[in-house]
């Protein structure tokens, strides 16, 4: 990647204020990746609200277009758009997940998913938008089927984690579900056939080169054959699987540990996200944002990654979420305990 040859800067484009408590999570609307559609993302906060932000194509500045409130009664911890960008799911400490529909620019809560015993920590849609997953402090992962008329039916409750489940994430192309937890593991859930039961087919734990403390977040590369995880153990780990084999219907292929990125962080890493062109961003408790890329040093001993740049004091407090924009530009959004969201652009200096 030519990135390593260039002189790069992560330039702050705008600081967005409006939330009155920490901002936990961000999600770019996938429909806004098209060149002629304004960029939109959602943010959610300890202030019990979700905000919808949109870029003005003419001024390039970001404005809050909507505040989704008076639905959740506690912190909104996670938000995720359906693949079409029509629905937004929000997971809350009030034990519910709300589904919002954009109706002519107004967001209406069209469904409320109940069942978790307490705090819901994360929500994720599968690639086709036919399934939704949620997880929470009750140690469970729920899979919901999206039915006609904005109805959602729980088809299975997955048990296996021994602690609070921090995040769920579907594979970008296949119906394989990943969950990471306070129990220091990542679990992989898979169903052999369309109508079959889901089961845990792999646990990425300390005995398999996994993390030694809470796993906070995970993300896939664009192709979907690599996975990055981040942890309270101050490391990021890269995993790889033979997805060609899985896509050809040849059964499950396990994820194998490729390498560990250690020594770069001295505080908990809360968020990781992989850009389309292969840049991994991390957000951490030291208020910094770091970017990593695979190093092309031609070494025989497999894959290695290196620090591309570190943005010190990206925020005044913990960085809870980093998310690359799905469009063409190298835009990154970050959310923090300081109550703000920042939009950054990765620029090559002359």
């Amino acid at each position: 990647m030519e990135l390593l040859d260039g002189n790069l800067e992560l330039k702050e484009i705008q600081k967005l204020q409006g939330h009155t408590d920490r901002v936990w999570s961000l999600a770019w609307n996938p429909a806004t990746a098209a060149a002629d559609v304004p960029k939109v993302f959602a943010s959610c906060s300890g202030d019990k609200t979700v905000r919808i932000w949109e870029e003005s194509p003419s001024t390039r500045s970001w404005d809050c277009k909507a505040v989704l409130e008076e639905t959740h009664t506690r912190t909104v911890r996670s938000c995720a758009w359906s693949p079409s960008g029509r629905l937004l799911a929000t997971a809350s400490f009030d034990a519910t997940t709300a589904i919002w529909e954009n109706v002519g620019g107004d967001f209406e809560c069209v469904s409320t998913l109940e069942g978790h015993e307490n705090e819901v920590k994360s929500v994720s849609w599968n690639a086709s938008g036919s399934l939704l997953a949620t997880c929470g402090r009750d140690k469970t992962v729920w899979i919901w089927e999206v039915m006609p008329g904005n109805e959602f039916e729980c088809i299975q409750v997955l048990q296996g984690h021994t602690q609070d489940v921090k995040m769920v994430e579907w594979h970008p192309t296949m119906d394989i579900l990943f969950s990471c937890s306070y129990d220091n593991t990542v679990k992989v859930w898979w169903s052999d056939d369309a109508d079959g039961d889901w089961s845990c087919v792999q646990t990425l734990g300390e005995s398999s080169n996994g993390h030694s403390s809470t796993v906070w977040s995970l993300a896939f590369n664009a192709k979907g054959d690599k996975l990055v995880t981040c942890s309270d153990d101050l490391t990021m780990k890269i995993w790889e699987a033979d997805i060609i084999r899985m896509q050809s219907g040849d059964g499950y292929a396990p994820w194998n540990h490729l390498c560990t990125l250690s020594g770069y962080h001295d505080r908990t890493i809360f968020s990781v996200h992989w850009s389309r062109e292969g840049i991994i961003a991390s957000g951490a408790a030291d208020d910094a944002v770091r970017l990593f890329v695979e190093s092309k040093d031609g070494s025989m001993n497999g894959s290695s990654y290196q620090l591309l740049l570190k943005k010190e004091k990206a925020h005044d407090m913990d960085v809870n979420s980093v998310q690359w924009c799905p469009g063409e530009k190298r835009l990154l959004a970050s959310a923090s305990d300081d109550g703000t969201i920042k939009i950054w652009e990765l620029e090559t200096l002359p």
Side-chain angles (χ1 to χ4, degrees), residues 97-144:
T97 302
I99 309 293
W100 306 79
E101 184 174 5
N102 183 352
V103 184
D106 288 325
F107 285 83
E108 297 174 12
C109 180
V110 293
S111 194
T112 304
L113 281 48
E114 297 177 342
H116 281 284
E117 287 173 27
N118 41 41
E119 291 92 330
V120 189
K121 296 292 180 82
S122 174
V123 59
S124 175
W125 301 82
N126 71 339
S128 65
S130 62
L131 297 171
L132 189 73
T134 58
C135 67
R137 191 161 72 89
D138 63 9
K139 308 174 191 170
T140 66
V141 173
W142 291 49
I143 298 181
W144 309 79

Side-chain angles (χ1 to χ4, degrees), residues 141 143 158-161 170 175-179 187-191 198-202:
V141 173
I143 298 181
L158 307 175
Q159 294 177 318
H161 283 294
W170 290 95
D175 283 344
I176 307 174
L177 183 62
F178 294 71
S179 58
K187 286 188 179 288
V188 190
W189 309 88
W190 153 282
S191 172
W198 294 79
S199 59
C200 178
V201 285
Q202 192 176 2

Side-chain angles (χ1 to χ4, degrees), residues 75 205 210 296:
T75 290
K296 299 279 191 271

Side-chain angles (χ1 to χ4, degrees), residues 201-215:
V201 285
Q202 192 176 2
T203 299
L204 307 179
E206 197 171 1
S207 60
S208 52
N209 291 313
H211 292 287
S212 58
S213 190
T214 301
V215 187

Side-chain angles (χ1 to χ4, degrees), residues 16-26 43-51 53 67 69 73-77 93 315 317-318 320 334-342:
L16 305 179
Q17 292 170 301
H19 282 298
T20 56
D21 200 327
R22 66 183 58 177
V23 189
W24 276 113
S25 176
L26 297 165
S43 61
C44 60
S45 164
D47 67 12
K48 309 173 195 169
T49 73
V50 177
R51 284 178 173 258
W53 307 85
V67 181
E69 55 191 348
T73 57
R74 291 184 63 196
T75 290
V76 188
R77 182 64 178 84
F93 285 5
H315 283 274
M317 295 169 77
D318 293 8
N320 294 318
S334 60
S336 169
D337 274 3
D338 66 17
T340 71
I341 297 144
K342 288 188 180 180

